[in-house]
Amino acid sequence: MRKQSNNILLLIKFLSLHYLLVLSAAQDFDFFYFVQQWPGSYCDTNQGCCYPGTGKPASDFGIHGLWPNRNDGSYPSNCDSSNPFDASKISDLMSQMKSEWPTLSCPSNDGLKFWGHEWDKHGTCSESVLDQHSYFSTALGLKTNINLLQALENAGIHPDGSEYSLTSIKDAIKEASGYTPWIQCNTDSSGNSQLYQVYLCVDSSGSSFVECPVFPHGSCGASIEFPSF
Ligand code: AMP
């Protein structure tokens, strides 16, 4: 009798440990922020920018990242150091990565550092859903589904250094994508508030845009600059 209850106890311990392990590997986020960046607003700040040896990136929005986030506004980060960025896993995506996800940091480099940072910090937190190749190919695919610059240009909003109302920018993106974006501003070296990054939300499988369950914090002026690049 005693032996049997010991065995049952052992089984319960084993099952709870197993459950905990499964839980810790399970997805710990509710949706993604898909973040695109206007390069002109990265480069005209006090920090400045550098281009890779391949030259100046296109005058277009570039990908910053695909970030797992929770409905309460918090987010997981650096989830799996045992699965570090491995460029050889995305060798077939390299030319698209260079044009759609360009690095701008100094000193000039080939972009592996930027992509590696994004995978290690954010990508590892959605690895139960998207492996390394799918993580990057999903982000590249999302970019082709919404052409932000075209959406803005269609509404008469051009990267010409003039000011546009924040509302007109949001409306133009909503009109084109069907979803309300969140706009992040930064300041140029003269202190003007400008259009820096556009956040759109994506469901937890990375397959379609959704309305954002929660927006990040921070604010732009009512009227913001759209610098040239
Ligand atoms: P994250 O940690 O994903 O929020 O990304 C922020 C980091 O990415 C900061 O170190 C930024 O300086 C860097 N970063 C943002 N945009 C770029 C870019 N276009 N090229 C290189 N690094 C960037």
Side-chain angles (χ1 to χ4, degrees), residues 36-39 59-63 143 148-149 152 195 198 226:
Q36 297 188 66
Q37 177 186 75
W38 179 247
S59 178
D60 189 11
F61 283 85
I63 299 172
K143 184 169 187 292
L148 290 180
L149 187 58
L152 294 170
L195 172 54
V198 176
F226 191 9

Side-chain angles (χ1 to χ4, degrees), residues 194-217:
Q194 58 183 359
L195 172 54
Y196 176 45
Q197 301 197 122
V198 176
Y199 291 55
L200 284 166
C201 291
V202 176
D203 67 45
S204 62
S205 65
S207 44
S208 40
F209 290 113
V210 293
E211 282 300 344
C212 286
V214 59
F215 286 114
H217 295 294

Side-chain angles (χ1 to χ4, degrees), residues 127-159:
E127 66 187 6
S128 60
V129 182
L130 301 173
D131 64 15
Q132 258 183 75
H133 188 275
S134 330
Y135 178 76
F136 290 100
S137 66
T138 295
L140 292 168
L142 288 166
K143 184 169 187 292
T144 63
N145 287 343
I146 172 65
N147 186 330
L148 290 180
L149 187 58
Q150 190 68 60
L152 294 170
E153 304 253 26
N154 287 349
I157 299 166
H158 307 284

Side-chain angles (χ1 to χ4, degrees), residues 108-123:
S108 61
N109 62 95
D110 55 14
L112 295 182
K113 200 170 143 223
F114 183 29
W115 307 329
H117 167 82
E118 292 301 308
W119 168 260
D120 294 342
K121 180 174 176 186
H122 304 283

Side-chain angles (χ1 to χ4, degrees), residues 16-229:
S16 19
L17 193 67
H18 182 75
Y19 180 67
L20 277 178
L21 283 175
V22 167
L23 259 191
S24 66
Q27 104 184 30
D28 179 26
F29 68 100
D30 302 306
F31 68 96
F32 290 99
Y33 283 126
F34 177 54
V35 183
Q36 297 188 66
Q37 177 186 75
W38 179 247
S41 304
Y42 184 103
C43 293
D44 71 359
T45 58
N46 284 327
Q47 109 202 311
C49 72
C50 298
Y51 312 138
T54 44
K56 186 179 173 179
S59 178
D60 189 11
F61 283 85
I63 299 172
H64 182 165
L66 183 63
W67 302 341
N69 212 86
R70 303 190 190 102
N71 287 342
D72 68 2
S74 69
Y75 63 92
S77 62
N78 297 105
C79 297
D80 187 3
S81 59
S82 73
N83 183 12
F85 177 66
D86 176 355
S88 72
K89 292 184 171 158
I90 55 164
S91 49
D92 61 316
L93 303 176
M94 270 312 153
S95 70
Q96 255 189 300
M97 289 296 293
K98 285 178 185 159
S99 63
E100 310 302 322
W101 203 321
T103 183
L104 293 168
S105 62
C106 298
S108 61
N109 62 95
D110 55 14
L112 295 182
K113 200 170 143 223
F114 183 29
W115 307 329
H117 167 82
E118 292 301 308
W119 168 260
D120 294 342
K121 180 174 176 186
H122 304 283
T124 55
C125 300
S126 52
E127 66 187 6
S128 60
V129 182
L130 301 173
D131 64 15
Q132 258 183 75
H133 188 275
S134 330
Y135 178 76
F136 290 100
S137 66
T138 295
L140 292 168
L142 288 166
K143 184 169 187 292
T144 63
N145 287 343
I146 172 65
N147 186 330
L148 290 180
L149 187 58
Q150 190 68 60
L152 294 170
E153 304 253 26
N154 287 349
I157 299 166
H158 307 284
D160 55 6
S162 52
E163 298 223 337
Y164 296 93
S165 81
L166 180 61
T167 314
S168 67
I169 291 173
K170 281 192 197 162
D171 287 352
I173 296 170
K174 171 141 198 190
E175 171 75 21
S177 69
Y179 298 96
T180 306
W182 188 74
I183 307 296
Q184 181 183 13
C185 292
N186 68 354
T187 49
D188 70 12
S189 50
S190 317
N192 302 311
S193 176
Q194 58 183 359
L195 172 54
Y196 176 45
Q197 301 197 122
V198 176
Y199 291 55
L200 284 166
C201 291
V202 176
D203 67 45
S204 62
S205 65
S207 44
S208 40
F209 290 113
V210 293
E211 282 300 344
C212 286
V214 59
F215 286 114
H217 295 294
S219 63
C220 300
S223 164
I224 59 176
E225 191 188 337
F226 191 9
S228 61
F229 181 66

